[in-house]
Amino acid sequence: MFPFENILNYIADEQCALVIGPEIMHFEGKAMNMYLRDKVYAQFKDQVKHYYENDGLFLFSSDNASAKSGVAKALKNECFRLPGLPGYNEDLLKHIARLPFHLIISINPDNFLPLTFKKFGVRHRFSHFRKGDRPSDNVDKPTRAEPLIYNIAGSILEDESLILDYDDLFSLISSSIGASGLPNGLQTALTDIRTYIFVGFPFEKWHTHVMLRILCGKASYQKYAGPHRIGAETYTFLANQFKIEFWQPEAGDLWDEFIKAATAYRDPNPERANQPFLRELLAKAETQEIVAIMQAVENGKIQEAIDLLLAYSRNTPFEIESVQISARYQILMQRQTSIDSRDFQTTLNQNIEAILNLARQIANSK
């Protein structure tokens, strides 16, 4: 049994990181990552020079750049289909959203967790690693009030960031070694971590051990992992080398027990003792349209958000108001160089708030 009281104390003090791997969900008996890559390989086997099935990595001919681009696009499309398939577990993602981890690192390229946070009203930030010469986004140090979800292996929302072959994997490892290639805010957060929770992590794979070293450094702090099927030799290595304690299935469902312990938890810090520990989720999920608008706003694509709002309000009583918001934004952009930057940012924030508020009014009216 995990020492939940101790783990929850570290979560409360922003010293515990959750690390998510591809085995968090399974489709047709395969871990999510392998299911996706096997599907894509079946589509591109004539264009791919070789497929390393054990690692889910491809080998592309040097004179066939279009094949890699096609694989990236297909991987994104297959990933978008997963929420409609048996095996997709939104309840598990909601459990994670409720637990107040300030830092969540995923070695998966999907955006399911940030989407769940958006759908159920949990404030957060999302960023991902970019390989090669393209810098990763700078991020502020994460907090419980504004947690960071960080995809260390890229994002399906950006094809060029995906880890598709061994060159990509080595680029990630060489850029991240000692965490030096990670954003400053994330680096700072990692130095404060005193315990880790791993779920769905492919511990049998060699590059997982490298990733453990990148994320955890040489620190010998305690680490915990969800239930995994691993050989005795690997189990002994992980227990001794990385001090990982595994959840035993006979102890029940990890997430149910985690939520139960968190519900009963009382923060020993008197300044936080009366504050709710678990995050509250919206009783009714945000609509797909609102999530898309929120995504555009987060990416700084305000015009795209307005276009989505205009489409969402069409043939509703809110159509004129959405046109007015669009007009105010156009005027603001025309005046951008002639007004004080602080006034510009204040007015821009008011426009963004108006976009999101009107979108919710439209959703509540339907």
Side-chain angles (χ1 to χ4, degrees):
M1 182 69 71
F2 284 11
F4 281 119
E5 183 79 14
N6 188 44
I7 292 171
L8 293 167
N9 284 335
Y10 280 117
I11 292 175
D13 289 338
E14 299 178 350
Q15 294 180 314
C16 179
L18 176 66
V19 186
I20 297 174
E23 295 179 9
I24 193 169
M25 294 185 199
H26 287 77
F27 298 86
E28 297 182 5
K30 298 178 181 179
M32 178 170 62
N33 188 43
M34 299 309 300
Y35 171 82
L36 289 171
R37 288 164 187 264
D38 288 354
K39 290 273 289 185
V40 170
Y41 176 61
Q43 301 171 34
F44 284 84
K45 61 173 57 179
D46 293 336
Q47 300 179 48
V48 172
K49 193 171 182 180
H50 188 71
Y51 177 54
Y52 300 95
E53 188 173 357
N54 187 52
D55 289 330
L57 295 172
F58 304 90
L59 176 64
F60 301 98
S61 299
S62 57
D63 59 349
N64 192 3
S66 63
K68 189 169 186 177
S69 176
V71 165
K73 194 71 67 181
L75 187 66
K76 176 174 68 174
N77 293 337
E78 291 294 339
C79 197
F80 284 157
R81 295 188 181 99
L82 291 184
L85 299 180
Y88 187 79
N89 192 344
E90 186 173 73
D91 287 340
L92 184 153
L93 299 177
K94 289 168 67 176
H95 281 329
I96 294 173
R98 291 191 69 197
L99 289 162
F101 290 100
H102 74 299
L103 175 60
I104 301 173
I105 298 173
S106 176
I107 64 170
N108 306 322
D110 67 81
N111 65 336
F112 300 144
L113 194 56
L115 279 178
T116 301
F117 274 53
K118 287 190 185 74
K119 283 177 64 177
F120 292 96
V122 178
R123 183 182 176 187
H124 70 288
R125 284 172 289 127
F126 172 67
S127 186
H128 65 273
F129 184 84
R130 294 185 176 93
K131 60 182 183 285
D133 297 328
R134 297 192 61 188
S136 296
D137 296 332
N138 288 323
V139 296
D140 294 329
K141 185 180 177 182
T143 64
R144 281 173 56 189
E146 193 170 14
L148 171 65
I149 302 170
Y150 190 85
N151 281 11
I152 201 167
S155 169
I156 57 166
L157 302 177
E158 187 177 300
D159 294 354
E160 294 177 358
S161 72
L162 295 173
I163 307 300
L164 299 178
D165 56 24
Y166 281 110
D167 285 342
D168 295 337
L169 179 61
F170 296 147
S171 175
L172 169 63
I173 292 172
S174 62
S175 298
S176 306
I177 214 72
S180 59
L182 303 178
N184 290 335
L186 178 56
Q187 289 183 50
T188 303
L190 287 172
T191 62
D192 293 336
I193 298 300
R194 295 297 177 267
T195 192
Y196 293 82
I197 308 293
F198 294 92
V199 291
F201 222 60
F203 286 105
E204 294 277 9
K205 297 184 183 296
W206 66 269
H207 47 78
T208 296
H209 302 162
V210 177
M211 196 65 65
L212 278 168
R213 177 67 63 160
I214 290 172
L215 295 177
C216 308
K218 297 179 180 179
S220 58
Y221 301 118
Q222 186 65 56
K223 305 165 189 71
Y224 303 92
H228 293 274
R229 298 175 183 174
I230 57 176
E233 186 175 344
T234 301
Y235 181 91
T236 301
F237 171 76
L238 293 169
N240 293 330
Q241 183 71 22
F242 291 105
K243 297 187 67 174
I244 298 178
E245 181 179 338
F246 288 87
W247 179 263
Q248 301 304 316
E250 59 268 21
D253 180 81
L254 169 61
W255 296 106
D256 287 346
E257 296 301 319
F258 218 142
I259 293 293
K260 187 187 302 181
T263 302
Y265 176 75
R266 293 296 175 266
D267 195 324
N269 187 325
E271 295 181 1
R272 302 189 300 245
N274 296 321
Q275 299 176 10
F277 184 71
L278 286 169
R279 296 191 181 109
E280 289 292 328
L281 306 187
L282 294 176
K284 181 182 178 183
E286 301 277 27
T287 65
Q288 290 183 350
E289 291 84 358
I290 290 179
V291 171
I293 291 170
M294 292 169 66
Q295 184 77 53
V297 167
E298 284 186 12
N299 292 335
K301 300 177 180 178
I302 310 304
Q303 185 58 59
E304 180 181 321
I306 290 175
D307 292 342
L308 290 167
L309 179 67
L310 290 168
Y312 194 29
S313 66
R314 196 165 294 132
N315 299 322
T316 74
F318 304 94
E319 189 168 5
I320 293 176
E321 190 173 349
S322 67
V323 171
Q324 292 172 339
I325 290 174
S326 177
R328 290 199 298 271
Y329 176 72
Q330 299 304 326
I331 293 172
L332 176 65
M333 296 310 293
Q334 291 170 10
R335 298 180 58 212
Q336 181 176 0
T337 58
S338 62
I339 62 176
D340 186 277
S341 60
R342 291 167 295 183
D343 293 335
F344 171 79
Q345 191 60 50
T346 298
T347 308
L348 178 62
N349 291 339
Q350 291 170 347
N351 273 287
I352 291 171
E353 185 176 357
I355 293 168
L356 297 175
N357 286 341
L358 185 59
R360 292 193 174 95
Q361 290 181 52
I362 297 169
N364 291 334
S365 71
K366 293 187 176 182

